[in-house]
Amino acid sequence: MRTITLKIHPKDNIEVALADLKAGDTISSGDRQITLLGDVTAKHKFALQDLNPGDDVLMYGVLVGKAVLPIKIGEPVTTNNIKHASGEYELRERKTDWLMPDLSAWKDRTFVGYHRADGSVGVANYWLVIPLVFCENRNVQVIQDAFAKELGYQTDISPERDHVKQLIQLYREGKNADEILDADLNTRGGLKARDEKIFPNVDGIKFLNHSLGCAGIKEDTRGLCGLLAGYITHANVAGATVLSLGCQNAQIDMLKEEIYKRDPNFSKPLYLLEQQQIGSETELLNQAIKKTFTGLIEANKNTRKPAPLSKLCVGLECGGSDGFSGISANPSLGHASDIIVGLGGSVILSEFPELCGVEQELSDRCVDDETAGRFIHLMRTYHDRAKALGSGFDSNPSAGNVRDGLITDAIKSAGAAKKGGTSPVADVLDYPEKVRKPGLTLLCTPGSDVESTTAEVGSGATIVVFTTGLGTPTGNPITPVVKVSTNTRLYNKMTDIIDIDAGTVISGDETINQAGERILEHIIRIASGEEKAKAVAGGHDDFIPWKRGISL
């Protein structure tokens, strides 16, 4: 018989509905029978005891809210009767013991990647073209238009352009609006074949447009240069062409400082071109195109070779989360994270607004007092800055989160943190610092999906695994973003952007550990180039630098 509700932790006084439940239904919870006093939609919760205003609401064994109205046993928990609340946290005794998973099936496994001079191993081999300031975005676009098709990195025509061509033909044939709306465009015409790639060992040229580099605060300028340096030194990148105007705040020397801070022996091909020094735009573009082409010749010399799984650096991300995120996809990814850490690899847990409520647990897991102290400092500083702008962490859940069961930030956060598994916290980084130790790293970023994914990659993530309950197309220019659905309905509905279904945990067809090991197998295939992430195949190259303090 399928389980229809779940009490996650023995301390919890609310329970999760795994299916739609009706008022009057009798639910077995432990050795008790509870009659529901209202409809409870799947992913939402109901009370396991009577609660009075001010009483703690507990889930995952932690404080996730306070009752604001009387709540009867069996009554649905909603935004009307509880509000966000999370526990206080402080520097305490270390709790770094953990039960390492069985590694016997993984210790001799390898992936086939691109080995770099600094000892890192990439899962892809890209060339970057980057504007150091937004004034160069147009020139970057010109270079993109010149290169992408001629080198075989894009089809002759996009599906959407092909559809527009078909609609024009229907219109010329005299079809009316209803006939045009009923037309099956996918059965007409079709894409022209992709040209043969000139550089078969180069996965592509990626172009990073942004809106920063000048006229902002100095903190954002330095952060941008650090982020771009993280991409240039990234294991998935063979080299880069950087376009600078010349007079902006983000100077070439600042970028160089950030590059050598991350890699003191930096030796990749790097072409730095300044328009005001070169003169005409035509000459700038000529030099950029010629130098980029010669860089691609060099990049093409690198081929995939075996590497141990300890060379993986995996970003842990979630977006469009739902009430199943913390009980299916996130803990499954957490199990995969623990295996990677046990093998000597690195994983990155970010989105600090979505760690609100589990600060004490994470700070206790830090390997030493200094690391724990830095985490507490960053959390408090970020929260205080957000409040000063009129929004605390309690503003983080989106409308979709709330609609699908994440009605307080602490409920969302307690589930989101499960992506990081149970291993000790080896390091804590501030944006946009680069990962420097194996193990679990906490990285200060906003909860905004694209900004956080952009930051994780800038810190060194060679693959990002992204859990979602509602669906999102988020990708990244240089790092595969692998999507994991929390529920099977979403997986079946959005197969074009979702890679893996963890709804099998909800249905009882798999355990969390089994789903986690299936995720790890998929990571290895992606890392070896045997399979493309759906975000890569769909061309989702999202890149948004964080303007500090603006985003949750």
Side-chain angles (χ1 to χ4, degrees), residues 470-548:
L470 305 176
T472 170
T474 300
N476 183 265
I478 65 169
T479 288
V481 179
V482 180
K483 300 290 171 30
V484 182
S485 69
T486 70
N487 61 90
T488 301
R489 181 175 177 272
L490 172 65
Y491 178 76
N492 292 333
K493 183 172 66 171
M494 304 183 79
T495 55
D496 56 338
I497 63 172
I498 306 293
D499 300 89
I500 302 170
D501 177 27
T504 51
V505 174
I506 301 297
S507 65
D509 294 319
E510 275 188 312
T511 65
I512 285 171
N513 287 4
Q514 288 170 335
E517 288 166 19
R518 184 162 52 87
I519 290 170
L520 183 52
E521 288 286 2
H522 200 94
I523 289 172
I524 295 170
R525 291 197 300 275
I526 295 285
S528 298
E530 297 172 5
E531 191 170 336
K532 276 190 177 181
K534 299 287 180 68
V536 174
H540 297 292
D541 288 345
D542 303 300
F543 178 82
I544 302 179
W546 182 22
K547 293 183 73 173
R548 196 63 178 258

Side-chain angles (χ1 to χ4, degrees), residues 428-465:
V428 173
L429 300 179
D430 196 6
Y431 172 86
E433 292 175 317
K434 191 166 186 175
V435 169
R436 54 198 177 190
K437 296 178 182 179
L440 171 60
T441 290
L442 304 182
L443 171 66
C444 183
T445 76
S448 171
D449 304 348
V450 178
E451 288 171 301
S452 182
T453 300
T454 299
E456 286 188 342
V457 174
S459 291
T462 50
I463 288 182
V464 172
V465 182

Side-chain angles (χ1 to χ4, degrees), residues 342-414:
L343 294 169
S346 304
V347 297
I348 306 170
L349 181 63
S350 58
E351 301 177 293
F352 272 27
E354 297 178 10
L355 301 180
C356 176
V358 291
E359 298 98 334
Q360 191 65 65
E361 177 203 348
L362 289 171
S363 64
D364 290 350
R365 284 167 55 188
C366 290
V367 291
D368 53 41
D369 287 352
E370 181 181 359
T371 304
R374 192 177 198 212
F375 172 62
I376 290 172
H377 170 73
L378 287 172
M379 284 293 292
R380 288 177 174 163
T381 301
Y382 189 177
H383 184 258
D384 290 347
R385 291 182 69 170
K387 286 195 73 173
L389 293 171
S391 293
F393 286 170
D394 57 309
S395 301
N396 176 262
S398 69
N401 294 152
V402 173
R403 185 178 62 245
D404 274 59
L406 303 178
I407 60 176
T408 73
D409 185 56
I411 290 177
K412 181 178 180 180
S413 297

